[in-house]
Amino acid sequence: MKYKHVILKLDGKVATITLNRPDKLNAINDEVLRDLRKALDKIKRDFESKVVVIKGAGKSFCAGQDLGGEGTDQVMPPDPREKAYLYDMFAMSLQNQSVWQYIFEFPKITVAQVHGYCLGMGLDLAMACRAAICTEDAVFGDPSVRMGIASPNPLWTFRIGLKKTKELLLTGKYIDGREAERIGLVMKAVPADQLEETMATEVEVFAQSAGIGGWDQMTDFWCYSMAVLDLAGLAAGRRLASNAHVLSAIQRPGRHLTDRGGFDFYGIKKEKGLKAALEERDAPFEKYFPQPRPKKG
Amino acid sequence: MSTIIYEKKDGIGYVTLNRPEDLNAMNDSMLAEIDDLLPQLEMDLEAKVIVFRGAGKDFCVGQDLSGVDTLEVLSEPGEHLTIKKRMEAERRRNRRWETIFNLAKPTIAQVHGHCLGTGCYLAMVCDLTIAAEDALFGDPLLRMGLLPHMPLWPYLIGIKKTREMLFTGCYMNGIEAERTGLINKAVTRDELENEVEKMARGIALLPCDATAPVKDAVNSVMEARGLGTSWRFTNNMQLVMQQRQMMPEEFDFFKTRSKEGLKAAVEQRDRPFNKFCEER
Amino acid sequence: MPTGFGWDFKTQYMKCYWEANDYRDWDFKLVIYEKVSDRIARITLNRPEKRNAFNDRLFEDLSAAMHKANDDPEVRVVIIRGAGGGFGAGHDLSSPEGEETPPVHPSINPTLQDYYGFERRRCAKYEDVADYPKITIAQVHGKCIGASQIFAAMCDIIICTEDAQFGIRGFGSQLHGLTEWPIWPLWSNKAYAGHAVTEISGTEAAELGFANKAVSIEKLEDETLRWAETLSQLPSEAVAVTKEWMNGMLDIMGMGGISRAHFHAHLALQYVRFRPDEVNLYKAKKEKGLKGFLEDRSKTASPKAEK
């Protein structure tokens, strides 16, 4: 198999990338990033394909960066108790957004097909696609603030506006597919049994959506859209948000967030395991921001 | 008596605009008290989140239009100031809103009743705004021949809605405000305090060092999107507006106020637009 | 001044057409200019047999009319609407070569220098209406596509019918610039990303913040006049300054780059190659005429396309 953690299928006009770590809810580590980039490179060179569907195997789209595992230098800031250099922090921060930037600027129509959890980096991925379609009970969110981390994703305010962005990022709360549709985070939220059919219809629409100048024109216009967005602040915003991310993740023993009452994620994970650490992280917030959960079965 | 009351409870700092008999209209005294309070709000690590609210029946009806104790809050035509002094005044006038926008601490505006003019600006620069469904948001400055000097309007509700709101001076209720992106959520008047309390308590679980960089990341993107330049640009355009000639048949709010009193001036200011706004 | 195109080049630099004095005593052929009241001028695009598609004459008449309204010290609000079945179908693709409106056939082979000027003007003239110093209201019914949609987007206010159509499937305008900027948030999944067909109704436009209000066709004229009358109370000096502020804000928010992106993108159209399964615009137009091309094109756009 060519890729370790993704499956790539090329089928005429439609290319499909399936995140394939279902036992880890498709959590993202360095190898996933590498596979994604390689798969995208291949699709870019494939003349036939016009639409790229990105979806997840198993019960969820993507639960975010791999918080428990190994091989996460590119996606996770180091344990704050280790003495990381600023050099490494800055290098990591720009790098971990680069695949999302690649997807965002990709010259074919990218569509995220979301079910189950779509959190943290998984949400960065979905947001980078041109469109997203989900199940009504899909769950979206970015709980980084609960670990003292600022998201380096600059797309938030472009997608859902300033007020909603601050609400979701300052609380770390989750929302369901219906709410996501209401605020414009996704294009459509449908009952789970209609997801495949909806995707098929919309993908066909996207594949036919070139204007009078054909796909050459489409690509031309798209590249100008990207220039316009950069001019509208996305380029600098990406760097500034990335730097804020570094500031939030930089810690020194004794001057760490956990020394000032913050949640000690790494400590608790070491002591009690990942599941317990996540539960303890989110439990205090449940009564203020009850978490929607994907339906079982 | 203080025009601003600050209280702290359970990690939440409450800033109450306190001129209820004047619908919390902002005058120079209130601005001075806000200015004094801002550094304190930021430095107090025990206040994890700040809630702005209004005493009495309204959040804030806007700038105090009486002309008494209002040199700072409202520029009036005919003031004989040099360009340099005007520039300084404009910069000062808007710097406050920019400071609150960039306060290194989450802010929530709890809005009921009228939220107009600079009152609306305060709600806009807060990170989150939660309002009663029948709260009323608006910016009637253009009816008085003044520039609505808040650059966040197009960023929050888009350019078409901005033109509509600022040209007509109509009000938007809480429900429309949520729909257009001006606020986060509209709830019934009875639920308002609880809803804000829930939001504030949830955020207050987080230490300041967690929320500060998150807010900074978002505000940085906004700055890159031009908001930084917009503050200065808005100051400059305000200056241009002040320099213009009044047209002979134009409604002169300030002359009318001198001759007939504040109430009459406000009534005449709004009369040409009332029917349209009611039917909107 | 002859160009590589073989016709007279009007000017590469945009004259601000509502300030120029060329339009005094203009003979309006394709546009009707009237004053609804002292303060309200109304301009009707009057080429209904061509669905008000812009040819050179229509655009010049429109410029002259806007100039006239700007020159009239009483006028404070300008309404623009279309005669017949729609607001406007954009550029007249059937205009003879030599006019500014049809796409330049690759066989003409213009130099880049000529083409820069040509396209900049062709795009900018619709964008410039954003800088008009008085309040503009686009009264939209029926189809509002292409250059007509750009024009409407640049007006201050859009009042439309519920079943008006902004954009058209198969024609496409995926440029995130002029026709989408009024939609907010700019990159929301509610807007473009959700509308690969790039065609939205008046009702949808009002929901997305592209138009201000959508009403039934019976109510359209009265509703527009209601807005015009109300806004005509505002002193024109104050409006001019406020518009300058709003447009400056738009530039700062990034729209300043759009003009260049728009005409650059057009330039690249000279070099498109059509894929085997695509309808070749130039070939189809030549062989089947404009109508035939449009029929072919709409067949290939997916019939299942939903909003």
Side-chain angles (χ1 to χ4, degrees), chain A residues 57-69:
Chain A
K59 295 200 291 177
S60 280
F61 177 75
C62 173
Q65 39 285 59
D66 191 337
L67 296 172

Side-chain angles (χ1 to χ4, degrees), chain C residues 97-128:
Chain C
E97 281 169 12
E99 292 221 359
E100 285 190 343
T101 45
V104 175
H105 198 283
S107 65
I108 291 178
N109 197 20
T111 64
L112 262 181
Q113 183 185 355
D114 283 333
Y115 205 37
Y116 265 108
F118 171 77
E119 275 298 347
R120 187 182 299 144
R121 175 181 166 79
R122 193 161 170 265
C123 297
K125 63 197 207 190
Y126 299 99
E127 301 161 12
D128 279 356

Side-chain angles (χ1 to χ4, degrees), chain A residues 104-106 221-231, chain C residues 187:
Chain A
F104 185 69
E105 296 171 357
F106 206 66
F221 275 19
W222 179 251
C223 290
Y224 281 101
S225 294
M226 294 296 99
V228 165
L229 274 186
D230 272 357
L231 272 168
Chain C
W187 213 252

Side-chain angles (χ1 to χ4, degrees), chain B residues 134-146:
Chain B
D134 61 356
L136 293 171
F137 298 85
D139 194 350
L141 276 182
L142 191 51
R143 294 180 183 179
M144 296 162 57
L146 297 173

Side-chain angles (χ1 to χ4, degrees), chain B residues 3 33-34 49 56-57 129 163 172 188 243:
Chain B
T3 61
E33 289 190 42
I34 291 177
V49 56
K57 294 203 282 125
T129 305
R163 291 185 200 258
M172 202 188 254
T188 64
Q243 300 305 318

